[in-house]
Amino acid sequence: SHSGHLTTPAAGRPGKLCVDIKGPFGPSIEGAKYFALFIDEHTRYVWVEFLKTKDEIGAATARVMAKFAAEVETKVDANGIPIERPKVFEVRRDHEGGLESHYFEAWREDALLHSSASPPHDHDVNGIAEVTIRVIDEIATAMNDLSKAPRAFWTFHVQHAVNVRNCTATSVGSATSDIQISSHQRFTGKQPSCMDLCAIGCRGVSLKAPQHREKGNLSTR
């Protein structure tokens, strides 16, 4: 038996990733059929990885761990001495087949990564991943409908939805992090650069590289 709700995340400690996979979709222009979301439980920062098969989840997790290490803020104590840099220490998942495969378990053991799972047939106890996937799916669907882009462009819509989500101040549920700032700022310690987050399908201008410009004939740049 279980209480039916998540425990409160440890205060000020990024590194527990909630993971879930959604799909299959029609193949994207790169051949992807699934996307995997990784959400830091404390800051609610989101990464997305696109997969051709569910067997790629191990490599996708490794890429996210590398991004985590490169982007996470290194805090300092009261004396200005840097505190130990956070790292990924646990993956929280449901009973998605790709996350229970022998391949993923073998990879996880080699990476010394702890894994915890929600009870079978009870996705709500992996609620952070479930809610985030629903939000990303709704944003991406709206972008696809507004832009009228080909269906094979769905990966661009999902990636853009994740960027918008990370740059927006959002609820953090039971987490102890600051709700007044974006998840990007909570995780990296820097304000997001969001001036280029235009709507998918808006008019754009392409700039020719200098080597392709012609002088003396008033050709456009």
Side-chain angles (χ1 to χ4, degrees), residues 88-140:
V88 177
F89 59 87
E90 181 178 347
V91 167
R92 175 73 178 180
R93 59 179 177 81
D94 59 18
H95 292 269
E96 167 64 54
L99 296 168
E100 289 196 318
S101 66
H102 294 298
Y103 169 81
F104 183 75
E105 284 299 299
W107 175 88
R108 183 184 60 76
E109 291 173 4
D110 289 340
L112 303 178
L113 188 64
H114 176 60
S115 174
S116 61
S118 59
H121 313 297
D122 193 352
H123 298 283
D124 291 341
V125 188
N126 192 25
I128 294 173
E130 293 293 329
V131 170
T132 304
I133 277 187
R134 185 163 62 248
V135 170
I136 297 301
D137 183 71
E138 289 175 353
I139 297 174

Side-chain angles (χ1 to χ4, degrees), residues 24-47:
F25 300 93
S28 72
I29 58 175
E30 302 95 350
K33 295 182 179 179
Y34 304 86
F35 71 85
L37 285 190
F38 299 78
I39 306 99
D40 177 62
E41 186 181 71
H42 176 66
T43 63
R44 299 299 202 264
Y45 191 78
V46 181
W47 296 265

